[in-house]
Amino acid sequence: NDNLEQQVKALFKSWFIDFEPFGGEQPSEMQFIPLQNLCKVVTKGTTPTTLGKPFTTSGINFIKAESILDNHSIDTDKFAYIDEETNTMLKRSIIEPNDIVFTIAGTLGRFALIDESVLPANTNQAVAIIRPDTSKVAASYLYSFFIGNWHNDYYSKRVQQAVQANLSLTTIKSLPIAILCDNTMKKYDELVNPLFALMKSNEVENRKLSILRDTLLPKLMSGELDVSDIDL
């Protein structure tokens, strides 16, 4: 996945920094549109306990900032859980497929693209939900701007210092995104979308392998599973 991410970064740099597909010059068709104008939703969640609702031992996945890793994957071992009633109360922050989740408090700037494997899910106020309007821009197109670190300088200059550093939703929404004509964006998306799909497939496979490891290892260590007769 690190290799795949480097490929996406190289493609992004080629297209939006070096303008290689356009002869090395910024194309006249390129416009800069605020993120909020390319999204259906840019919002954040709420901690259930502030509404008098406890966490549960199972149920709806509750993604916290620490659930989002530096490598843009989701650590399911760091989920909390809420029940259906609480999830309904927090309907503003119910997460959907192809949402981008982005940490906006505490450890800033971790992000991931959500797929079906971690749903149903909700989140708290430390995590922004960025939901692309796919009639305007593909989720993979928009996500590549985060992978390409397009946001770093813009957001880092606008961090608010309080008890802990945080980014406001207003700042998140205002990020200018480079938009091309539909046919050009489609060509770019045809390059990056398969890479993201493979990354997500690998993440799911990694989670399955981790579960298998955690199931087998204690049995091997205790001798419950005897592998002494296996000829390697």
Side-chain angles (χ1 to χ4, degrees):
N1 272 5
D2 180 68
N3 178 275
L4 292 168
E5 181 178 335
Q6 295 309 313
Q7 291 183 54
V8 175
K9 286 182 175 180
L11 283 167
F12 182 85
K13 183 175 183 294
S14 171
W15 278 65
F16 296 99
I17 305 299
D18 299 332
F19 307 120
E20 290 177 358
F22 312 103
E25 296 182 0
Q26 180 176 314
S28 58
E29 68 183 81
M30 184 175 286
Q31 301 180 58
F32 295 90
I33 308 295
L35 179 65
Q36 65 176 339
N37 293 352
L38 301 172
C39 293
K40 291 181 178 179
V41 171
V42 180
T43 189
K44 62 181 179 179
T46 303
T47 299
T49 52
T50 63
L51 303 177
K53 304 296 291 185
F55 288 108
T56 56
T57 56
S58 62
I60 306 296
N61 297 327
F62 197 80
I63 297 175
K64 300 180 290 182
E66 55 264 38
S67 310
I68 304 170
L69 303 182
D70 287 331
N71 66 0
H72 319 305
S73 64
I74 300 292
D75 187 348
T76 58
D77 290 335
K78 294 181 180 178
F79 283 171
Y81 301 96
I82 57 176
D83 59 25
E84 291 280 2
E85 181 183 354
T86 305
N87 191 51
T88 301
M89 287 179 62
L90 303 177
K91 62 182 180 180
R92 180 186 72 174
S93 50
I94 292 175
I95 297 172
E96 297 182 3
N98 291 320
D99 283 354
I100 300 167
V101 289
F102 188 96
T103 58
I104 59 173
T107 303
L108 301 179
R110 291 180 179 174
F111 57 89
L113 183 66
I114 296 296
D115 67 344
E116 293 280 2
S117 68
V118 297
L119 299 180
N122 209 304
T123 192
N124 63 16
Q125 68 274 9
V127 178
I129 301 169
I130 300 167
R131 183 167 302 148
D133 183 343
T134 53
S135 69
K136 298 178 179 178
V137 64
S140 51
Y141 180 93
L142 191 57
Y143 186 57
S144 75
F145 278 76
F146 289 92
I147 291 291
N149 292 321
W150 181 267
H151 61 287
N152 275 359
D153 286 345
Y154 186 85
Y155 285 162
S156 62
K157 293 175 181 177
R158 293 164 175 81
V159 171
Q160 298 175 345
Q161 297 293 338
V163 176
Q164 61 178 1
N166 66 90
L167 284 165
S168 69
L169 287 181
T170 299
T171 297
I172 296 294
K173 292 175 181 179
S174 66
L175 176 68
I177 300 293
I179 294 298
L180 303 164
C181 71
D182 289 346
N183 286 339
T184 310
M185 285 197 297
K186 183 178 179 180
K187 290 177 182 177
Y188 174 75
D189 196 56
E190 287 172 349
L191 297 173
V192 298
N193 191 43
L195 300 177
F196 289 138
L198 185 54
M199 291 169 72
K200 283 298 170 187
S201 176
N202 289 340
E203 286 176 28
V204 172
E205 185 69 13
N206 282 341
R207 283 198 289 269
K208 290 178 180 178
L209 290 170
S210 294
I211 292 170
L212 183 61
R213 175 202 61 202
D214 295 342
T215 301
L216 289 178
L217 190 57
K219 295 181 179 182
L220 290 167
M221 297 293 289
S222 67
E224 182 179 347
L225 288 179
D226 183 6
V227 295
S228 59
D229 292 335
I230 296 178
D231 184 7
L232 298 178

